[in-house]
Amino acid sequence: MLNRRDTLKLGAIAGAGLLLPVSRLSSALAEATALAPFTQPLPIPPVLAPTSTSSVADFYEMTIAPTTANILPGLSTPVLTFNGSFPGPTIKARRGRPVQLKVTNTMSTPSSVHLHGANVRPASDGHPVDLIQPGASKTYLYPNQQPAATLWYHDHAHHIEAEQVYRGLAGLYLIGDQNTDSLQLPSDEYDIPLLIRDASFDEQGRLLFTLDGFASRTVVLVNGAQQPYLSVRRRKYRLRLINAANSRPIKLTLSDGGQFVRIASDGGLLEHPVTGAEIELWPAERAEVVVDFSTRQTGDTVILENIFNGPNTPGRQLLQFQVAESAPDNSQVPNNLSVHPVFGQPIITRTINLGRDPTNTFYAINGLPYDPNRIDFQCKQGSTELWVVNNTDGQYNFPHSMHIHLVQFRVLDRNGVAVGPEEAYPKDTVRIPAGQTVRILVRFSSPFTGVYPYHCHFLDHSSAHMMAQLEIVP
Ligand SMILES: [Cu+2]
């Protein structure tokens, strides 16, 4: 069942996790480059222009290519990019208006592009073995028949997605709709994406990658930059927070103790805003928040921090907001944001065990490594299922998560404790801490049938077999 590439990967994983040495090189580099924090402006990924539009769809093209990026002062970093941009360009779509995206792969390795959180046919889902071979192109069709949301696209090629995403193959895909427009949330230049990921560099500025090498990834980048600043006016901002790290959970706070008003989760708007001082996001999770800088004074600085591992979290200070003068602000955060669908009663309960195989070194789902030729579950279109997801790696203290392609599910509880409304719906990725159990309701309401993966979204784990697939049947 395992080929030579698998064996190599397993060799890389064996003994990892608990005993990985922290790269002193990377730490030293991080400290050196941290001497002048908040001196470069926050980059905003470019918005991709359509190559053409018709009365029924917008047509886009992207080319995957290796190039270099200036991430660390005075150093040139080889990266993999969509259209030369690190991270990739942002696609802005509208609900009800389809997008056709043609992707050409000029790398020496295959790619597959998955639009995370999207309701699309299997042929456009970016399945791990539905590959764009080197030199080839593939056109993906995105119907955008779903509510406004902050989605992201990323590489999903079997076994190598962790490395290829780490080296840069990820970008944002934002769906807008009339309902969201009517709410008058902060928009345009007051609507800021913050794509957060970690990295490890050698002394020449090259990205270091080893599978499960998360402990050495101590440099945290926001939109591809280390510790940038954003000049903000004294008014409300909408921030789209995306954890695009392979394996790093984050818990975000504001250094002045300020509040986030959370308005959206993975797949779109919450029903009502939820106010709090912390936003916890594990890999692939998203949150949209509104932060009101009118409560600060001109000249104030506020730092967005990651305190997941306490005050000594590596790369704790992510981004500095520098508060400038006031600006007119007609935006608001209404109490009623959206109306969520009612899920039916589950017709079946499934148990999903996420855990390292005790006799081998691969990560497994229900004891099995991923096999793209095996259907793990058959699910009936239109039905609702109850999934009981167990993290069985309590003894290793390995965190995992569950991402299901195609659907937005409802999270019920974690270890029997109901989750808050900010984490309940709409979700496509949920965190499962070591040894814990999370119950979710999954509704297969999509018009599409066929085979879709589900997997841990610690990409270092999914690349090492922690993936399975379901088939939706009529
Ligand atoms: Cu995992």
Side-chain angles (χ1 to χ4, degrees):
M1 183 178 291
L2 302 181
N3 60 27
R4 183 174 167 276
R5 162 160 243 138
D6 295 333
T7 313
L8 289 174
K9 292 289 183 187
L10 294 183
I13 297 163
L18 296 178
L19 298 174
L20 253 182
V22 173
S23 164
R24 275 171 295 167
L25 212 52
S26 182
S27 300
L29 199 67
E31 284 166 25
T33 54
L35 289 176
F38 316 128
T39 50
Q40 60 174 325
L42 174 76
I44 303 294
V47 175
L48 190 64
T51 52
S52 65
T53 64
S54 77
S55 57
V56 293
D58 296 320
F59 302 86
Y60 292 88
E61 293 183 8
M62 292 203 297
T63 299
I64 300 176
T67 183
T68 57
N70 295 112
I71 302 170
L72 302 174
L75 296 173
S76 177
T77 299
V79 290
L80 301 177
T81 61
F82 292 96
N83 281 10
S85 178
F86 178 86
T90 300
I91 294 176
K92 288 192 173 178
R94 290 288 296 181
R95 183 176 191 176
R97 186 163 175 83
V99 161
Q100 279 195 30
L101 172 64
K102 181 182 178 184
V103 181
T104 300
N105 177 14
T106 70
M107 300 188 297
S108 59
T109 52
S111 181
S112 175
V113 179
H114 170 54
L115 181 53
H116 184 117
N119 186 353
V120 302
R121 286 180 194 282
S124 289
D125 185 48
H127 187 278
V129 296
D130 185 6
L131 297 167
I132 315 172
Q133 295 296 342
S137 300
K138 177 179 167 67
T139 298
Y140 296 89
L141 306 178
Y142 301 139
N144 301 316
Q145 298 281 358
Q146 63 189 88
T150 299
L151 308 185
W152 64 304
Y153 60 89
H154 62 77
D155 183 88
H156 213 309
H158 191 27
H159 282 319
I160 54 176
E161 75 270 27
E163 178 159 4
Q164 296 198 149
V165 171
Y166 177 82
R167 295 198 182 281
L169 294 187
L172 292 171
Y173 187 102
L174 311 180
I175 302 178
D177 67 11
Q178 283 187 342
N179 171 52
T180 308
D181 291 350
S182 71
L183 298 176
Q184 294 181 275
L185 297 163
S187 62
D188 302 315
E189 70 264 44
Y190 307 113
D191 177 356
I192 306 287
L194 299 175
L195 186 137
I196 300 166
R197 47 108 11 124
D198 57 3
S200 173
F201 296 90
D202 72 7
E203 60 191 348
Q204 293 175 293
R206 294 175 298 202
L207 283 165
L208 293 169
F209 180 82
T210 54
L211 208 60
D212 260 355
F214 53 87
S216 67
R217 299 172 197 158
T218 54
V219 178
V220 182
L221 306 175
V222 183
N223 295 349
Q226 185 186 11
Q227 293 189 312
Y229 73 87
L230 177 67
S231 178
V232 293
R233 310 293 292 270
R234 292 184 57 224
R235 52 155 289 154
K236 291 189 285 300
Y237 277 73
R238 176 182 184 179
L239 305 176
R240 299 173 188 257
L241 306 166
I242 303 96
N243 184 340
N246 277 31
S247 295
R248 176 182 291 273
I250 56 177
K251 186 186 286 182
L252 299 171
T253 59
L254 295 169
S255 59
D256 64 356
Q259 303 281 301
F260 301 103
V261 179
R262 194 189 296 221
I263 56 171
S265 184
D266 296 346
L269 291 168
L270 303 173
E271 289 195 308
H272 310 287
V274 177
T275 300
E278 294 179 349
I279 304 284
E280 183 165 349
L281 296 175
W282 285 27
E285 288 189 298
R286 289 89 71 207
E288 294 179 31
V289 300
V290 172
V291 174
D292 188 355
F293 291 101
S294 73
T295 62
R296 279 82 173 182
Q297 301 302 311
T298 300
D300 282 356
T301 58
V302 182
I303 298 173
L304 182 71
E305 299 189 322
N306 169 27
I307 59 157
F308 185 81
N309 299 107
N312 296 320
T313 300
R316 169 179 169 167
Q317 297 189 319
L318 304 181
L319 166 72
Q320 184 186 60
F321 299 104
Q322 301 180 352
V323 183
E325 319 81 62
S326 299
D329 189 358
N330 296 321
S331 72
Q332 55 179 3
V333 182
N335 189 46
N336 292 316
L337 296 169
S338 74
V339 178
H340 290 167
V342 176
F343 280 36
Q345 286 298 311
I347 63 167
I348 190 172
T349 299
R350 300 189 191 272
T351 299
I352 293 101
N353 292 325
L354 302 171
R356 193 167 166 157
D357 182 281
T359 57
N360 284 289
T361 52
F362 59 81
Y363 292 102
I365 296 183
N366 286 352
L368 296 173
Y370 178 53
D371 179 352
N373 296 312
R374 185 187 69 230
I375 301 297
D376 296 90
F377 295 153
Q378 264 197 344
C379 305
K380 183 149 179 54
Q381 187 179 32
S383 71
T384 297
E385 299 188 353
L386 176 65
W387 287 25
V388 180
V389 189
N390 303 303
N391 178 327
T392 60
D393 276 337
Q395 76 272 33
Y396 301 120
N397 200 28
F398 286 160
H400 296 299
S401 65
M402 173 57 69
H403 168 49
I404 309 176
H405 287 213
L406 183 73
V407 299
Q408 293 294 327
F409 53 76
R410 182 180 292 281
V411 183
L412 298 177
D413 47 41
R414 182 174 285 111
N415 275 4
V417 179
V419 302
E422 74 283 359
E423 203 195 351
Y425 184 85
K427 291 291 289 177
D428 52 49
T429 308
V430 62
R431 54 185 185 267
I432 325 280
Q436 296 197 15
T437 294
V438 173
R439 297 194 314 152
I440 62 177
L441 277 179
V442 188
R443 193 174 67 123
F444 297 100
S445 57
S446 169
F448 308 124
T449 56
V451 176
Y452 295 89
Y454 57 94
H455 57 91
C456 179
H457 216 290
F458 285 62
L459 293 180
D460 291 35
H461 299 178
S462 63
S463 280
H465 305 287
M466 194 169 252
M467 183 148 53
Q469 59 193 4
L470 55 81
E471 180 180 19
I472 302 173
V473 295

XYZ file of all heavy atoms in Angstrom, residues 363 399-401 456 458 461 466, ligand 1:
71
model
N -0.179 8.984 10.374
C -1.412 9.454 10.984
C -2.570 8.780 10.265
O -2.518 8.583 9.049
C -1.527 10.961 10.835
C -0.518 11.737 11.626
C 0.598 12.296 11.014
C -0.679 11.931 12.984
C 1.521 13.032 11.739
C 0.238 12.669 13.720
C 1.333 13.207 13.090
O 2.240 13.933 13.811
N -2.551 17.677 18.603
C -3.830 18.279 18.215
C -4.206 17.835 16.803
O -3.332 17.539 15.984
C -3.523 19.776 18.246
C -2.056 19.857 17.927
C -1.413 18.597 18.456
N -5.481 17.756 16.541
C -5.959 17.487 15.183
C -7.164 18.381 14.917
O -7.648 19.077 15.804
C -6.361 16.013 15.013
C -5.219 15.061 15.167
N -4.121 15.074 14.345
C -5.007 14.060 16.060
C -3.278 14.121 14.727
N -3.780 13.494 15.764
N -7.633 18.314 13.665
C -8.860 19.037 13.336
C -9.616 18.221 12.304
O -9.099 17.222 11.801
C -8.544 20.441 12.797
O -7.850 20.357 11.557
N -7.776 15.832 8.474
C -7.210 16.770 9.436
C -6.613 17.931 8.644
O -5.973 17.729 7.620
C -6.118 16.091 10.265
S -5.336 17.201 11.456
N -4.337 20.021 9.828
C -2.907 20.206 10.048
C -2.292 19.554 8.807
O -2.271 18.331 8.696
C -2.450 19.503 11.329
C -2.867 20.228 12.578
C -4.208 20.421 12.882
C -1.917 20.732 13.455
C -4.592 21.114 14.024
C -2.290 21.421 14.604
C -3.635 21.610 14.888
N -0.222 16.660 8.788
C -0.874 15.382 9.092
C -1.597 14.829 7.858
O -1.496 13.648 7.549
C -1.883 15.544 10.233
C -1.274 15.994 11.526
N -2.011 16.231 12.668
C 0.020 16.269 11.861
C -1.202 16.620 13.641
N 0.019 16.656 13.175
N -3.517 11.406 7.033
C -4.691 11.637 7.878
C -5.814 12.244 7.036
O -6.196 13.406 7.197
C -4.329 12.520 9.070
C -5.403 12.509 10.153
S -4.876 13.272 11.675
C -4.712 11.824 12.704
Cu -3.972 16.161 12.676
